[in-house]
Amino acid sequence: MSESEFDVKRKEHIPGYVMHDYLAAYAKHFGLTNHIQCDSKVDTAECRRNDGWLLSISPTKTTAGRQILARKIIVATGLTSQPFVPDLPGSETFEGPIVHSKQLAQHDSALRTTSSIVVLGNNKSAYDSAYAFASQGVKVHLLIRQSGKGPLWMVPAFVTPLKIWTEALLGMRMPNLFSPCIWGDADGFGFIRWLLNATVVGRLLVWLFWVLLTKDAESRLALDKSARTKKLKPWTSPFWQGSGVSIETYDGGFHDLVRRGEIEVHISEIEELLRNSVRLRSGVELKADAIITATGWSHKPPIIFLPAGIKSDLGLPGNQCASEIELELCKLADSEILDRFPILRNQPDRSPALRMSNEKTANAQLPHPWRLFRFLVPPAFISCRTIAFAGMLFTVRTSTCAEIQGLWIASFLDGTMDIESCLKHFSATKSRRFADDSLQARVRWDTMLMTQFGLWRYPSGFADRNPDFAFDSPPYFDLLLGDLGLRKWRKKSWLAEMTEQYLPEDHGDIVEEWMDLQRKEQ
């Protein structure tokens, strides 16, 4: 992405439309547009085991429905393709539009003519929506659920007394050593990580690092200085957040709008919608010409997989009843995780409403996250190699993640990757052994450890649905690169490796490196 062609400057926020233009230019440059079938929706994917998948595609205005037998498929629908809109009591009575944040571009002009908007949500999209209309003179009520996980951390672009660029901090190896991570040893700094996680002095240093980082962010945000902004104070430390730790990207001050009352924050629940207002359980009634639901996304693919009952084999998230074997593996994984990372035993206090909701759920029906080996492949399909899922995680390093995941999937599907070698390169387990020592069993156990870890590490994030991490991105990339037989350390020296930020260009040649490696091995 050159500055001259796309008019973007280093260390500046990239607008969405510029990102779209770049991706379109990328597809054209590499000849991908000829291989893309637009206006096509896959309704169902039926597993034919070693023969692949039978895809049923919806009819359109110009084409009839059709079927394709694909020998292999990559599900790259992502986690932000299907809007989640909650059922709002009284929605049939409300006279204004109810718009998901995904649809703001289509409704922007109409919404700007309103006098009062209620925004539902506690994520960056909710804050962006509130800012967009409040900065244009529209009164905005930002409603954050009392039964949710509270306001998000939206930190300044530069943090710490050294004024380090926040994005750079997330891409440096030294800071991410202070983030307990079950795949962390894949970065080659296992001894340092052992000192920080397994010793009393090390855990004290980890605790101190996060205390100082939190205090610095709090002092820069100064939320306590106003009763209005105090409502935006996060309920838990950023230690327990994943990729939801956001960076302030506004030209003007979001918090200034809150201090002036142009954005009014409410911590409550919706009682019901009336004709032109929203009544809260607290008794407050908010005037509303429109409602924006910045309520996130459905975390499941928009495809029906067949035959019925295949969801568990595919590792899809949900509340499907777990087998006794899976429940036992889950308990064993929890035990190993807490033994290795004692700092995670002291979990943050959740909101009373959220705590009660979880306690009412039967064990076998507890929601579980995606269960994918390396966050990419269902363990049940390790042998037949006919399916992989790309991008089913949240990370602040999306472009690099997409590049490395894409190469890993290509190597897996074409058979050049040896899964046994992957486990020799790195396994999340340390000592536990089972009577069944087959490749399938070891892959399943490794997958359970890595996917279950997020529930303990990031309870204030989205890890109960899908992998969600910020500081843990570099070692995850190292894990995949090691599986591919590629270099992990890409800086000029050990000191640079520890202190310099990793940027997308540091991994820019991995495809060529992998192709050279394949030619040498042949």
Side-chain angles (χ1 to χ4, degrees):
M1 181 179 282
S2 64
E3 291 187 15
S4 58
E5 184 177 358
F6 294 98
D7 193 27
V8 292
K9 294 180 174 57
R10 186 176 175 81
K11 295 189 177 182
E12 286 189 359
H13 176 65
I14 303 175
Y17 68 89
V18 174
M19 197 68 224
H20 176 269
D21 291 345
Y22 167 75
L23 292 174
Y26 182 96
K28 183 178 179 180
H29 176 79
F30 288 102
L32 300 178
T33 50
N34 295 331
H35 301 283
I36 299 174
Q37 297 183 26
C38 295
D39 196 25
S40 299
K41 181 181 182 299
V42 177
D43 289 324
T44 63
E46 183 180 349
C47 180
R48 297 294 179 89
R49 283 298 164 183
N50 293 333
D51 291 331
W53 295 81
L54 183 64
L55 308 180
S56 296
I57 301 173
S58 294
T60 67
K61 293 180 180 179
T62 57
T63 62
R66 62 193 192 280
Q67 290 187 321
I68 297 175
L69 181 61
R71 290 189 297 114
K72 302 175 187 292
I73 63 173
I74 302 171
V75 183
T77 50
L79 295 167
T80 56
S81 59
Q82 281 189 298
F84 169 74
V85 180
D87 293 327
L88 302 174
S91 57
E92 68 284 353
T93 304
F94 187 69
E95 294 181 349
I98 300 176
V99 179
H100 189 271
S101 53
K102 178 185 179 180
Q103 304 161 325
L104 287 184
Q106 299 97 293
H107 297 269
D108 181 70
S109 299
L111 291 173
R112 288 182 189 276
T113 64
T114 61
S115 61
S116 181
I117 292 177
V118 172
V119 178
L120 312 181
N122 69 333
N123 50 39
K124 187 63 162 54
S125 296
Y127 286 37
D128 288 348
S129 302
Y131 177 83
F133 294 102
S135 60
Q136 297 296 316
V138 180
K139 172 70 176 183
V140 175
H141 295 281
L142 177 59
L143 177 58
I144 298 174
R145 285 189 305 125
Q146 193 172 15
S147 60
K149 297 179 180 179
L152 88 162
W153 276 94
M154 186 168 64
V155 299
F158 296 88
V159 293
T160 78
L162 300 176
K163 293 187 177 180
I164 299 175
W165 187 30
T166 302
E167 290 189 38
L169 194 69
L170 296 172
M172 292 180 187
R173 289 199 184 277
M174 184 176 289
N176 73 57
L177 290 174
F178 289 87
S179 176
C181 179
I182 201 163
W183 58 86
D185 290 3
D187 63 7
F189 295 96
F191 180 68
I192 298 177
R193 288 184 178 274
W194 177 84
L195 288 174
L196 290 172
N197 292 301
T199 67
V200 175
V201 174
R203 292 197 292 272
L204 180 62
L205 290 174
V206 170
W207 175 82
L208 186 61
F209 171 84
W210 285 97
V211 166
L212 293 175
L213 196 66
T214 302
K215 293 295 183 185
D216 179 77
E218 287 178 339
S219 65
R220 293 176 186 277
L221 294 172
L223 298 177
D224 285 330
K225 291 186 177 180
S226 163
R228 288 171 172 168
T229 56
K230 194 172 184 177
K231 294 179 180 179
L232 289 174
K233 190 172 181 177
W235 298 348
T236 60
S237 160
F239 175 84
W240 303 107
Q241 301 276 343
S243 61
V245 176
S246 300
I247 300 172
E248 192 168 8
T249 55
Y250 309 113
D251 295 330
F254 175 86
H255 296 112
D256 289 336
L257 293 173
V258 177
R259 291 185 186 97
R260 294 197 298 265
E262 294 168 47
I263 297 176
E264 192 172 341
V265 182
H266 306 269
I267 310 294
S268 187
E269 309 281 341
I270 291 179
E271 181 69 30
E272 65 174 330
L273 306 187
L274 305 176
R275 287 179 56 195
N276 52 15
S277 64
V278 177
R279 180 182 295 159
L280 306 182
R281 288 184 188 172
S282 60
V284 174
E285 192 169 314
L286 309 175
K287 182 181 181 303
D289 299 320
I291 296 174
I292 297 174
T293 58
T295 45
W297 311 86
S298 171
H299 51 282
K300 300 177 184 178
I303 300 171
I304 298 173
F305 289 96
L306 300 174
I310 199 175
K311 287 183 179 180
S312 58
D313 282 348
L314 288 172
L316 300 183
N319 293 71
Q320 56 260 43
C321 187
S323 66
E324 289 185 11
I325 294 176
E326 185 176 356
L327 286 173
E328 183 61 26
L329 282 179
C330 189
K331 291 177 182 177
L332 291 173
D334 288 343
S335 176
E336 179 164 333
I337 289 165
L338 296 180
D339 285 345
R340 288 168 57 183
F341 304 97
I343 197 172
L344 302 182
R345 292 180 181 275
N346 188 24
Q347 290 283 295
D349 190 28
R350 298 168 292 178
S351 71
L354 181 61
R355 192 186 313 124
M356 288 176 63
S357 174
N358 287 346
E359 287 171 355
K360 290 178 181 178
T361 306
N363 279 340
Q365 289 296 319
L366 281 173
H368 63 78
W370 283 85
R371 302 288 193 199
L372 303 175
F373 178 67
R374 300 310 202 225
F375 305 143
L376 293 167
V377 179
F381 287 81
I382 281 291
S383 298
C384 64
R385 301 187 185 227
T386 61
I387 186 171
F389 292 85
M392 298 304 176
L393 52 76
F394 287 149
T395 172
V396 294
R397 311 292 300 281
T398 306
S399 58
T400 301
C401 188
E403 180 85 359
I404 300 176
Q405 278 197 339
L407 184 56
W408 195 100
I409 289 173
S411 177
F412 169 75
L413 291 180
D414 74 7
T416 56
M417 175 173 289
D418 179 23
I419 299 300
E420 189 70 60
S421 297
C422 290
L423 289 175
K424 288 179 180 177
H425 155 240
F426 177 81
S427 175
T429 191
K430 288 296 182 182
S431 58
R432 192 179 298 280
R433 293 291 181 268
F434 298 93
D436 182 358
D437 198 39
S438 65
L439 177 63
Q440 182 77 30
R442 283 179 285 134
V443 166
R444 186 169 65 245
W445 171 237
D446 214 68
T447 299
M448 178 62 75
L449 276 174
M450 284 187 58
T451 56
Q452 195 68 11
F453 176 77
L455 276 72
W456 293 99
R457 180 66 183 85
Y458 297 111
S460 296
F462 300 98
D464 56 339
R465 299 183 301 189
N466 52 263
D468 174 30
F469 45 83
F471 279 93
D472 305 327
S473 299
Y476 175 63
F477 300 157
D478 294 332
L479 170 59
L480 300 188
L481 289 173
D483 286 347
L484 290 162
L486 301 179
R487 288 184 301 117
K488 302 177 183 181
W489 294 8
R490 296 178 167 263
K491 299 297 185 181
K492 295 180 180 179
S493 67
W494 187 88
L495 181 62
E497 196 67 45
M498 293 293 285
T499 59
E500 290 185 7
Q501 178 196 12
Y502 263 89
L503 298 168
E505 53 260 39
D506 289 309
H507 297 97
D509 297 325
I510 62 170
V511 174
E512 289 76 13
E513 291 176 18
W514 181 76
M515 292 174 69
D516 288 342
L517 182 64
Q518 297 310 304
R519 282 191 286 266
K520 290 178 182 178
E521 291 181 352
Q522 290 173 1

